[in-house]
Amino acid sequence: IHFILLFSRQGKLRLQKWYTTLPDKEKKKIIREIVQIILSRNQKTSSFVDWKDLKLVYKRYASLYFCCAIEEQDNELLTLEVVHRYVELLDKYFGNVCELDIIFNFEKAYFILDEFIIGGEVQETSKKTAVKAIEDSDMLQETVEEYMNKPAF
Amino acid sequence: MPAPIRLRELIRTIRTARTQAEEREMIQKECAAIRSSFREEDNTYRCRNVAKLLYMHMLGYPAHFGQLECLKLIASQKFTDKRIGYLGAMLLLDERQDVHLLMTNCIKNDLNHSTQYVQGLALCTLGCMGSSEMCRDLAGEVEKLLKTSNSYLRKKAALCAVHVIRKVPELMEMFLPATKNLLNEKNHGVLHTSVVLLTEMCERSPDMLAHFRKVRQLSSSQLVPQLVRILKNLIMSGYSPEHDVSGISDPFLQVRILRLLRILGRNDDDSSEAMNDILAQVATNTETSKNVGNAILYETVLTIMDIKSESGLRVLAINILGRFLLNNDKNIRYVALTSLLKTVQTDHNAVQRHRSTIVDCLKDLDVSIKRRAMELSFALVNGNNVRGMMKELLYFLDSCEPEFKADCASGIFLAAEKYAPSKRWHIDTIMRVLTTAGSYVRDDAVPNLIQLITNSVEMHAYTVQRLYKAILGDYSQQPLVQVASWCIGEYGDLLVSGQCEEEEPIQVTEDEVLDILESVLISNMSASVTRGYALTAIMKLSTRFTCTVNRIKKVVSIYGSSIDVELQQRAVEYNALFKKYDHMRPALLERMPVMEKVTTNGPTEIVQTNGETEPAVLETKPPPSGLQPASQANDLLDLLGGSDITPVIPTAPTSKPASAGGELLDLLGDLNLTGSPVSAPAPQIAQPPFLLDGLTSQPLFNDIAAGIPSITAYNKNGLKIDFTFERSNTNPSVTVITIQASNSTELDMTDFVFQAAVPKTFQLQLLSPSSSVIPAFNSGTITQVIKVLNPQKQQLRMRIKLTYNHKGSAMQDLAEVNNFPPQSWQ
């Protein structure tokens, strides 16, 4: 996977994870382009778009679009499963996740993503394990917070 | 200073902004606060501030002033700080900033931290954005962690290793020993990442691949059987809630294993054989009701097609793809078409069976699906199904999006050319394409079509009639009008005399024909090229029509003062034809003979056509036929300067009459006056058809000992070039010259390039040299072969140009070679 983007129906970015190095301006340009391409596709089309030398796999969950850019030899159908699994992880962690959860807790969304995918490849295929790792990390954080007697941020 | 506001608070506030300007104001205010907080080196709230900064970064605002702060957070002892710090590093820093290297030490320490979650953070960050320098420095630590028994860390280390290998491929060897035990794990996370690591290694290095195919792993089993076993367990084992997705056990792992198997089995019989069974098992047992199952099947099919599988398995795979095609889910259809495209070359017959389904996909609404269906359809056309397929494809051409039309039209032309069942059908098909998508047809289609039409002699009347009817209604589509004008010009007499056999002849008068051609000339829609066609057609009709010659004369003289230079020139010349050379007119405007068909072999194709379809003939230099010969030709023109020697690309040889009308005849010189066979296409620097026609293989050449003396063509500044000659037995006009360049100085000559030019009546072909370096002290030579065609058996002369680097400076020299022995050209 080269990058993952989450954006709303209005085109506002909610999460961006890049696994390749690109200049900031380039990233912004790419985001604009891709958001436009995907928002203009209607219901009847497939979830895959050929874009430059990559394949874009996207899926809409409620008001959020999840988009992954994969390479030529990657399995598109499996990528759909990867996206779905990420949504499931978010759901398990937040409990009935909605877009607002991701907006207000974006850093947690990133943490969850980082427990699931590293360097563009899946690292953990068990839902339980991934979520447990996050919860344990949170515990580590909270003990410190309790000690400090105030929320960290 | 009051405590900076909390992250959630900030988010809430920003979201209340109603306009972009309001939002910007809030952000700027907050940024200022953050900046001053950073300046104060406030440890307590740094984390909060950076978190807020990251939020603002996501909204699109600049956040680079937070980069150093991220580093400070990473260096902090608090877990919370580290978490946000690493996140910030991944979002704000990348290898192009110098700052990132400062992270290396922190990461190194954290990789050895006592808390696994800290180690995890470090591994994650390194694996996502580590630069090559960082990877080099830290690879050792990663390797150590790859061997740990802690599966949480091991899986992350494996993916980190993948990233390191991607950034610094030379380090791959380092991770090899650690991979020995990886697959013995039970933990799926480790298994998955290990398979990814092995895949990356095998894809990058053929040595690694060979190693893994053979090596005996610790538990005395090879890689392939081991993978097969793991896969089998996954399929056969019962329900495992932890890894289950819609009833399938860990599909992610299954797919990755299948992919690794694909790489291992490619081009390797033993490995492929070992996997046949498991592949068959997966292919038949996997549930296809959900996307998950299909994902696995898709990967299985790809693997089966790529390895050396037995034919039964391949048929099974294609049938799965066929079933995919019928699936309602668009994604599945898309994936099926993509795979079929990859396999249609190798398993053509199997794919043919699904032809009707593929053709149905042409009507799909999704653009990508349509495109793939179109490409597949073209790949599947053959002699048997061409009529049916063409019907569908023509219908598709009618209704498809403009971006497809050009490709579709070209595809139809190609297919029609290869498989046309009859000439009439072929012409009908072409007409249909021209009328439906006329403006999208590629430029080279026009000369091709014209050639096709001339070749179908018996269809001339029918063709011209249909074309006439087509442009009567609408003459806006340029390629159509061009072809039609040309035909009418050639066969107008057939049109008027109503001789059509194939269909009901129409009644057309000469005036009506001229009407339509004149409208084309006048119309704003006509391109300049098209007008050229029309004018020439009108001219040609002057010999074919009987009653309207005066009208034609009038039209031609009007355009003598046209603004368009092209038209003007033509008109003036045609005028002259009427006035001074009326006696020549019939001969010049005679019917075109059947053109020799040149097979299409990519960019080197030249279709020999008459002057019209290549209006550039009117220029003094003939158009280059390909990119490479053109540059060579230009070089040689520079080289030769003089106008008496033409470049490598010849036009049809004509003898220039000495009269004042010479220019005129030059224009029409390409029209075949005498009916002699059209000369074959110009030789390319690569593979000319005709020079090799007479030669089947080297042994046909005369033995050198048979006695053409070799000559020294050039000897100056230590560079000596010798020519040795051979004549062909079968084609006496061909001489093969082998040049040998040697260097008697003390320093090598590098970048040596040899170029040659010959007089107009010869043709030259230069093959590639053996190298471009002439070693010093005559210790080696460069050889290069030149083939010269000398049909008129004139004395061979050659001008050569030598360029090379010697003693640090660039050298260049021109010379003329005149001392060719008579045996080399007589």
Side-chain angles (χ1 to χ4, degrees):
Chain A
I1 300 183
H2 277 225
F3 55 83
I4 300 181
L5 301 174
L6 259 73
F7 51 90
S8 72
R9 299 262 298 265
Q10 285 79 35
K12 298 203 87 159
L13 196 63
R14 298 296 176 212
L15 196 142
Q16 53 171 323
K17 187 79 187 180
W18 298 82
Y19 296 107
T20 54
T21 316
L22 287 165
D24 243 355
K25 264 172 89 161
E26 186 75 32
K27 285 185 189 167
K28 289 211 171 111
K29 196 163 117 197
I30 291 178
I31 293 174
R32 259 203 313 269
E33 211 181 302
I34 292 184
V35 167
Q36 204 190 25
I37 292 176
I38 293 186
L39 287 180
S40 62
R41 286 174 63 91
N42 66 38
Q43 294 282 42
K44 305 253 183 209
T45 56
S46 65
S47 297
F48 312 127
V49 182
D50 292 321
W51 181 78
K52 300 209 178 150
D53 58 337
L54 298 171
K55 299 190 273 198
L56 298 175
V57 179
Y58 71 93
K59 193 147 185 221
R60 203 188 108 215
Y61 287 86
S63 54
L64 268 182
Y65 282 92
F66 288 70
C67 175
C68 291
I70 56 175
E71 289 177 341
E72 181 65 40
Q73 63 263 34
D74 290 331
N75 184 327
E76 296 96 322
L77 299 178
L78 192 72
T79 311
L80 282 174
E81 290 302 317
V82 168
V83 170
H84 189 74
R85 171 55 65 89
Y86 180 50
V87 176
E88 281 179 333
L89 289 174
L90 289 170
D91 194 58
K92 192 154 187 214
Y93 180 80
F94 286 110
N96 276 332
V97 66
C98 63
E99 190 181 345
L100 277 179
D101 289 320
I102 301 186
I103 295 174
F104 277 93
N105 299 291
F106 71 94
E107 83 279 4
K108 297 232 170 53
Y110 275 109
F111 294 150
I112 295 174
L113 185 59
D114 286 335
E115 275 304 317
F116 179 42
I117 296 181
I118 287 184
E121 305 284 353
V122 169
Q123 66 177 285
E124 183 53 66
T125 55
S126 155
K127 265 188 288 194
K128 210 173 70 174
T129 316
V131 177
K132 183 156 186 311
I134 305 279
E135 284 171 350
D136 286 348
S137 301
D138 286 346
M139 287 287 283
L140 210 59
Q141 218 175 283
E142 269 162 34
T143 36
V144 175
E145 280 180 17
E146 265 167 35
Y147 175 68
M148 300 280 296
N149 208 18
K150 54 171 163 287
F153 53 88
Chain B
M1 188 179 169
I5 66 173
R6 297 179 51 210
L7 173 64
R8 318 279 176 234
E9 199 59 51
L10 177 69
I11 298 179
R12 208 169 297 138
T13 319
I14 292 182
R15 280 172 67 80
T16 60
R18 267 162 300 175
T19 65
Q20 184 79 319
E22 220 179 305
E23 182 183 285
R24 219 186 336 231
E25 218 182 288
M26 292 182 187
I27 302 251
Q28 272 171 354
K29 211 170 86 177
E30 188 57 38
C31 269
I34 294 180
R35 264 192 240 246
S36 42
S37 180
F38 283 161
R39 264 198 301 274
E40 289 176 14
E41 296 285 335
D42 181 347
N43 286 337
T44 341
Y45 294 111
R46 184 176 289 130
C47 181
R48 187 182 288 189
N49 287 327
V50 170
K52 288 188 287 193
L53 202 55
L54 291 178
Y55 179 71
M56 295 190 282
H57 172 79
M58 184 149 67
L59 290 178
Y61 296 93
H64 42 270
F65 56 91
Q67 285 169 1
L68 267 175
E69 304 299 318
C70 293
L71 291 180
K72 293 185 196 156
L73 283 175
I74 294 175
S76 150
Q77 287 309 311
K78 290 195 285 194
F79 182 66
T80 319
D81 282 357
K82 282 191 193 283
R83 237 181 167 188
I84 296 286
Y86 276 119
L87 180 61
M90 283 193 273
L91 288 177
L92 299 178
L93 288 172
D94 58 47
E95 57 199 37
R96 287 155 329 106
Q97 270 95 15
D98 299 323
V99 183
H100 83 279
L101 283 171
L102 299 172
M103 263 202 296
T104 316
N105 213 26
C106 286
I107 295 188
K108 189 165 190 175
N109 291 335
D110 283 340
L111 283 175
N112 292 315
H113 204 273
S114 46
T115 314
Q116 70 172 11
Y117 295 111
V118 174
Q119 289 174 294
L121 280 178
L123 281 169
C124 180
T125 309
L126 184 59
C128 284
M129 49 76 70
S131 65
S132 344
E133 294 91 0
M134 285 169 75
C135 288
R136 261 184 242 272
D137 288 337
L138 298 169
E141 305 292 328
V142 175
E143 201 255 343
K144 230 168 40 184
L145 286 171
L146 198 49
K147 298 197 263 213
T148 171
S149 53
N150 180 337
S151 47
Y152 177 77
L153 292 176
R154 213 169 180 198
K155 69 186 185 198
K156 290 186 196 269
L159 287 183
C160 206
V162 170
H163 180 84
V164 169
I165 293 177
R166 282 180 184 160
K167 282 287 187 194
V168 192
E170 301 88 63
L171 291 175
M172 207 189 317
E173 298 277 324
M174 193 174 163
F175 296 106
L176 187 53
T179 62
K180 276 215 193 91
N181 289 334
L182 279 178
L183 291 182
N184 292 331
E185 272 268 359
K186 291 274 182 271
N187 179 302
H188 280 226
V190 179
L191 277 176
H192 186 276
T193 55
S194 309
V195 171
V196 173
L197 178 57
L198 290 168
T199 311
E200 187 71 28
M201 289 171 123
C202 291
E203 270 177 346
R204 286 201 173 245
S205 155
D207 293 329
M208 283 287 179
L209 182 57
H211 171 88
F212 280 118
R213 275 184 181 141
K214 297 199 199 85
V215 79
R216 301 216 151 265
Q217 299 256 314
L218 250 194
S219 31
S220 63
S221 55
Q222 291 181 333
L223 186 56
V224 173
Q226 209 174 11
L227 289 170
V228 169
R229 229 193 355 258
I230 299 176
L231 193 49
K232 203 169 192 152
N233 281 337
L234 282 174
I235 304 174
M236 307 297 273
S237 71
Y239 176 72
S240 148
E242 206 177 319
H243 302 282
D244 178 273
V245 181
S246 307
I248 298 186
S249 219
D250 208 339
F252 303 105
L253 184 55
Q254 286 193 37
V255 167
R256 286 318 300 232
I257 292 182
L258 286 165
R259 189 160 148 187
L260 182 53
L261 285 175
R262 178 153 86 241
I263 298 175
L264 290 169
R266 202 180 273 155
N267 288 330
D268 188 81
D269 292 319
D270 293 327
S271 306
S272 303
E273 212 183 300
M275 339 174 164
N276 270 324
D277 287 336
I278 191 69
L279 289 173
Q281 205 176 0
V282 175
T284 40
N285 285 347
T286 312
E287 251 313 306
T288 57
S289 54
K290 290 273 179 71
N291 184 54
V292 201
N294 288 324
I296 296 181
L297 277 177
Y298 177 38
E299 197 73 30
T300 315
V301 165
L302 287 177
T303 303
I304 294 177
M305 301 315 291
D306 223 4
I307 64 173
K308 304 214 153 193
S309 49
E310 44 187 41
S311 59
L313 205 51
R314 296 180 90 88
V315 173
L316 179 60
I318 300 220
N319 286 345
I320 293 179
L321 288 178
R323 272 207 315 272
F324 275 5
L325 276 180
L326 297 167
N327 195 310
N328 281 331
D329 187 341
K330 288 198 182 302
N331 297 334
I332 311 251
R333 283 214 295 278
Y334 175 97
V335 146
L337 285 172
T338 315
S339 319
L340 283 171
L341 252 177
K342 289 192 206 146
T343 63
V344 73
Q345 303 302 332
T346 43
D347 293 86
H348 193 91
N349 293 330
V351 181
Q352 277 284 358
R353 262 187 262 130
H354 301 281
R355 189 164 40 88
S356 46
T357 331
I358 294 172
V359 170
D360 280 336
C361 288
L362 283 172
K363 308 197 182 85
D364 201 298
L365 289 165
D366 181 310
V367 167
S368 323
I369 291 186
K370 272 204 272 210
R371 173 167 283 282
R372 278 163 174 72
M374 179 180 84
E375 287 172 21
L376 251 182
S377 306
F378 281 126
L380 288 177
V381 174
N382 64 25
N384 295 331
N385 58 31
V386 66
R387 279 189 201 263
M389 291 294 276
M390 274 307 152
K391 228 169 40 173
E392 296 288 341
L393 286 165
L394 283 168
Y395 181 71
F396 175 68
L397 183 64
D398 238 341
S399 51
C400 70
E401 284 86 349
E403 62 226 37
F404 290 145
K405 292 210 185 203
D407 288 329
C408 192
S410 311
I412 292 181
F413 284 145
L414 265 166
E417 208 171 285
K418 278 202 268 194
Y419 301 114
S422 75
K423 289 239 162 95
R424 168 163 179 180
W425 180 93
H426 196 168
I427 292 187
D428 279 344
T429 309
I430 292 176
M431 295 260 342
R432 178 88 188 269
V433 173
L434 283 177
T435 42
T436 32
S439 28
Y440 298 99
V441 164
R442 294 217 169 90
D443 293 331
D444 60 353
V446 173
N448 283 342
L449 289 177
I450 288 181
Q451 183 186 63
L452 175 67
I453 292 173
T454 37
N455 286 343
S456 354
V457 178
E458 64 283 5
M459 304 290 307
H460 286 167
Y462 170 70
T463 314
V464 70
Q465 183 164 299
R466 285 211 59 191
L467 282 168
Y468 174 75
K469 284 200 280 196
I471 64 170
L472 254 191
D474 156 36
Y475 41 85
S476 61
Q477 304 197 72
Q478 300 304 300
L480 174 63
V481 175
Q482 286 168 13
V483 176
S485 315
W486 189 93
C487 281
I488 293 177
E490 273 298 301
Y491 311 122
D493 48 332
L494 296 176
L495 184 60
V496 173
S497 62
Q499 282 179 17
C500 184
E501 291 164 352
E502 302 277 343
E503 60 173 26
E504 194 63 39
I506 55 176
Q507 306 296 340
V508 183
T509 66
E510 296 181 2
D511 275 308
E512 283 170 339
V513 173
L514 286 175
D515 281 341
I516 191 76
L517 283 175
E518 275 189 61
S519 339
V520 169
L521 263 180
I522 301 174
S523 160
N524 287 335
M525 294 188 280
S526 302
S528 180
V529 170
T530 316
R531 294 215 180 107
Y533 272 91
L535 187 59
T536 310
I538 292 181
M539 185 59 195
K540 284 202 254 186
L541 288 175
S542 70
T543 46
R544 290 150 175 72
F545 282 179
T546 44
C547 5
T548 43
V549 182
N550 283 332
R551 180 175 173 182
I552 294 176
K553 270 197 207 165
K554 224 166 40 155
V555 172
V556 166
S557 63
I558 290 176
Y559 279 88
S561 43
S562 155
I563 296 182
D564 186 327
V565 178
E566 168 76 23
L567 282 182
Q568 192 189 91
Q569 183 167 6
R570 287 188 189 214
V572 164
E573 288 168 355
Y574 294 156
N575 241 342
L577 200 53
F578 270 124
K579 298 208 168 66
K580 290 208 273 182
Y581 298 99
D582 210 37
H583 52 285
M584 285 206 213
R585 194 163 46 88
L588 282 173
L589 300 177
E590 219 175 50
R591 189 77 100 223
M592 290 291 293
V594 172
M595 292 183 215
E596 206 169 272
K597 175 80 176 161
V598 177
T599 48
T600 4
N601 50 1
T604 60
E605 172 203 9
I606 304 177
V607 177
Q608 188 68 17
T609 58
N610 65 355
E612 277 128 355
T613 55
E614 303 244 327
V617 167
L618 291 175
E619 298 163 14
T620 46
K621 221 185 342 178
S625 52
L627 292 172
Q628 228 204 6
S631 56
Q632 288 275 8
N634 288 337
D635 276 353
L636 292 172
L637 277 182
D638 283 349
L639 162 70
L640 298 170
S643 55
D644 60 321
I645 303 186
T646 58
V648 175
I649 304 167
T651 51
T654 52
S655 44
K656 278 196 162 176
S659 66
E663 187 197 2
L664 171 64
L665 287 180
D666 238 7
L667 156 68
L668 298 174
D670 280 341
L671 288 178
N672 220 305
L673 305 179
T674 57
S676 59
V678 176
S679 74
Q684 304 303 315
I685 305 305
Q687 289 296 329
F690 81 104
L691 270 186
L692 296 177
D693 274 350
L695 324 167
T696 53
S697 62
Q698 292 292 12
L700 283 182
F701 283 108
N702 279 331
D703 214 12
I704 295 179
I708 309 179
S710 52
I711 60 170
T712 300
Y714 177 90
N715 193 348
K716 215 157 78 163
N717 295 329
L719 174 63
K720 181 152 99 87
I721 300 189
D722 294 323
F723 282 9
T724 45
F725 302 94
E726 285 172 337
R727 301 293 296 271
S728 155
N729 272 332
T730 48
N731 186 348
S733 325
V734 172
T735 308
V736 176
I737 307 176
T738 310
I739 69 157
Q740 291 202 307
S742 56
N743 166 12
S744 59
T745 67
E746 324 89 67
L747 282 180
D748 292 357
M749 294 173 179
T750 56
D751 300 301
F752 180 79
V753 176
F754 177 90
Q755 289 171 299
V758 286
K760 187 162 87 148
T761 51
F762 297 84
Q763 281 166 9
L764 190 65
Q765 182 207 4
L766 273 170
L767 301 183
S768 330
S770 58
S771 88
S772 64
V773 174
I774 318 180
F777 298 114
N778 287 328
S779 50
T781 59
I782 293 183
T783 42
Q784 192 166 3
V785 175
I786 311 173
K787 294 196 177 131
V788 179
L789 179 71
N790 180 5
Q792 299 185 15
K793 302 251 183 222
Q794 299 205 336
Q795 171 166 25
L796 189 51
R797 283 166 30 227
M798 193 185 280
R799 256 192 220 163
I800 60 178
K801 178 174 173 184
L802 311 162
T803 44
Y804 55 95
N805 288 335
H806 188 232
K807 296 186 182 155
S809 49
M811 310 276 291
Q812 189 177 297
D813 201 358
L814 285 174
E816 185 147 340
V817 184
N818 281 322
N819 51 336
F820 287 96
Q823 301 95 311
S824 65
W825 48 267
Q826 268 173 352

